[in-house]
Amino acid sequence: MARLGRTIKWSGAVLLVAWAGMGLWQSIKPLPENVGKAWPERPVGEVEFLADRTWYDEGGRRHLDQHIFDEAVAMIEGARRLIVVDMFLFNRLEGSGGGDFLPLAERLADALIAARQRQPAPRVVVITDPLNTLYGGQRVPLYQSLEAAGVELAITRLDRLRASNPLWSGLWHLGLDRLGNDPDGGWLPNAFGGEPVTLRSYLALLNFRANHRKTLTVDHAEGWSTLITSANPHDGSSLHSNVALRIDGPVAHDVIASEVEVASWSGVEVSQPPAPEAEPSDGAMAQLLTEAAIRDAVLARIDDTVAGDRLDVAAFYVAHRGVVEALKEASGRGVAVRVLLDPNREAFGFEKGGLPNQPVAEELLDAGVQVRWCVTDGEQCHSKVVLVRRGPAKDELADAVILGSANLTRRNLDDFNLESSVLLKGRGVVAIDDIGAWFDQRWDSSDGRRTSRAWAPRDEASWFDGWRYRLMEASGLSTF
């Protein structure tokens, strides 16, 4: 018995050391090429701002005004030789709440299948996150239809990424990751809707890794175009408010290069097409940013503001401590800082506790930052925008906006998730003015068009919520 006891103790000690070592390695391991990269600034041919707007009238009725996937379908219909799609959520699942959802997933899939049926047919590559298959625990008829039409499907290999939740991932990579999965073996309720799933699906989910990108790139008769957005072709997300930029010109070449890297992890090889050329339109310049390069660009833009500038942020999540501190400091310098936030109270039919935005909102308000909540009823205020409009003292400097997939959180900005955003800058750029008008309309809510509301005492977060948010953000033990 004594020998058995010593064996158990030594085995436990070895397991703990291996667990800690693997968790550390997964947190710091080298990343693949082109992850966390700021690509060169490129001239823009044409650029258009698109938005999916959700608002409420005096009677509380929801209204939708959507344009993003109209543009996506039009781009696919005009494609000639290559279509590359990378979308985080691309499925029909609706969660547990139900609702009058729109068939976004089927609409995008139908457009891609129709493209493959043309003669000559463009090559179509779809990159997506394994969450859509519940990490191999569920068959997706939508994907079977795409593959039957000749669409090449790349389910992202997330093990190439670092661990945002090392406490779990350290144990996961000691052997649990080799368990595989069984799409016919489901027996647990599916939190996302649909057929039952296996325990292995939930164990994989706890790593909290994701390919969170949302891009579409095509070649057409006039050259190359890319769509960079916060929107998912996901039925359960179809009522959300979202934003996008369609950009013509060489930045599309950079988006293709960044997606070629991710597709190759899953064995789908795409040859890089020749770089397109473009004459600048309105003096606009665009720069593709991925992963931590988004963080660096956001902080640089915030830190560069001075009294007289206006800094507007619209975000589903704000949690990154560096960003929170930068916003507070900008307000202290006399910058007019406005932050429009989702209340983080609902997600796909589930009630949430208001983290991280509730305690962060109070912290920002205490520092003099103006904060408003999006008015929502089950859907999400899902946009991710950082907009800098220069004051009269800086007429020689450009206005700028950063827009795309990345929430302002550690997971999204510190090289854990895959993310794609774009920095667009210039003086007198119509698309930037359009984004400013969009923000003002959401901020300036009216009785007939309720889009946002002021912070109220009922929104007050407890001290426990504040510390819980900080612990969850720092440790990775969270879904934000």
Side-chain angles (χ1 to χ4, degrees), residues 295-445:
R295 174 201 63 208
D296 295 343
V298 166
L299 292 176
R301 292 292 153 186
I302 296 174
D303 291 344
D304 190 44
T305 56
V306 299
D309 291 344
R310 180 176 294 281
L311 173 59
D312 292 331
V313 176
F316 178 52
Y317 289 139
V318 175
H320 193 285
R321 293 309 307 167
V323 173
V324 173
E325 293 299 330
L327 292 172
K328 291 159 56 178
E329 291 170 6
S331 179
R333 293 194 299 271
V335 179
V337 184
R338 301 188 296 179
V339 179
L340 180 65
L341 294 173
D342 183 90
N344 295 165
R345 290 297 187 186
E346 297 174 285
F348 308 118
F350 295 96
E351 291 188 8
K352 298 178 62 180
L355 298 184
N357 287 354
Q358 299 282 336
V360 169
E362 288 188 46
E363 184 178 352
L364 293 175
L365 284 164
D366 289 343
V369 175
Q370 301 176 70
V371 176
R372 287 181 69 86
W373 298 115
C374 293
V375 173
T376 61
D377 184 15
E379 82 284 355
Q380 295 171 351
C381 193
H382 199 249
S383 305
K384 302 98 167 50
V385 173
V386 176
L387 172 64
V388 175
R389 288 181 279 183
R390 298 297 186 179
K394 282 200 169 184
D395 283 342
E396 74 281 5
L397 295 180
D399 293 342
V401 65
I402 298 172
L403 177 156
S405 71
N407 297 303
L408 300 177
T409 74
R410 167 183 173 271
R411 175 167 291 117
N412 297 121
L413 297 181
D414 284 0
D415 279 337
F416 296 112
N417 278 358
L418 289 175
E419 304 285 351
S420 288
S421 293
V422 64
L423 166 63
L424 178 69
K425 67 179 186 179
R427 286 179 289 174
V429 177
V430 172
I432 296 178
D433 291 340
D434 289 344
I435 295 170
W438 164 85
F439 189 96
D440 290 343
Q441 185 183 57
R442 291 233 59 170
W443 187 268
D444 298 326
S445 185

Side-chain angles (χ1 to χ4, degrees), residues 82-86 123-127 151-154 263 268 270:
L82 181 64
I83 301 170
V84 178
V85 180
D86 190 346
R123 184 181 182 188
V124 181
V125 177
V126 172
I127 307 165
V151 173
E152 298 171 69
L153 188 64
V268 177
V270 182

Side-chain angles (χ1 to χ4, degrees), residues 234-273:
H234 168 232
D235 292 9
S237 302
S238 61
L239 307 181
H240 295 355
S241 299
N242 279 296
V243 292
L245 283 170
R246 175 193 163 141
I247 305 173
D248 296 346
V251 72
H253 185 263
D254 298 331
V255 176
I256 290 285
S258 70
E259 300 300 351
V260 163
E261 169 80 21
V262 178
S264 70
W265 302 351
S266 303
V268 177
E269 301 297 334
V270 182
S271 297
Q272 179 73 357

Side-chain angles (χ1 to χ4, degrees), residues 181-294:
N181 213 332
D182 180 6
D184 298 316
W187 57 280
L188 291 172
N190 187 339
F192 302 96
E195 298 298 319
V197 296
T198 65
L199 175 61
R200 287 166 286 179
S201 292
Y202 285 111
L203 295 179
L205 173 65
L206 290 174
N207 289 286
F208 299 141
R209 290 184 176 115
N211 175 0
H212 197 243
R213 293 178 177 180
K214 303 159 184 67
T215 66
L216 165 67
T217 309
V218 306
D219 74 318
H220 50 82
E222 291 77 32
W224 287 86
S225 294
T226 192
L227 186 76
I228 296 179
T229 181
S230 64
N232 291 294
H234 168 232
D235 292 9
S237 302
S238 61
L239 307 181
H240 295 355
S241 299
N242 279 296
V243 292
L245 283 170
R246 175 193 163 141
I247 305 173
D248 296 346
V251 72
H253 185 263
D254 298 331
V255 176
I256 290 285
S258 70
E259 300 300 351
V260 163
E261 169 80 21
V262 178
S264 70
W265 302 351
S266 303
V268 177
E269 301 297 334
V270 182
S271 297
Q272 179 73 357
E277 297 181 358
E279 292 296 326
S281 173
D282 294 334
M285 301 291 288
Q287 181 182 28
L288 175 66
L289 305 167
T290 62
E291 294 79 54
I294 304 170

Side-chain angles (χ1 to χ4, degrees), residues 124-137:
V124 181
V125 177
V126 172
I127 307 165
T128 193
D129 189 84
L131 176 61
N132 294 282
T133 67
L134 276 299
Y135 306 95

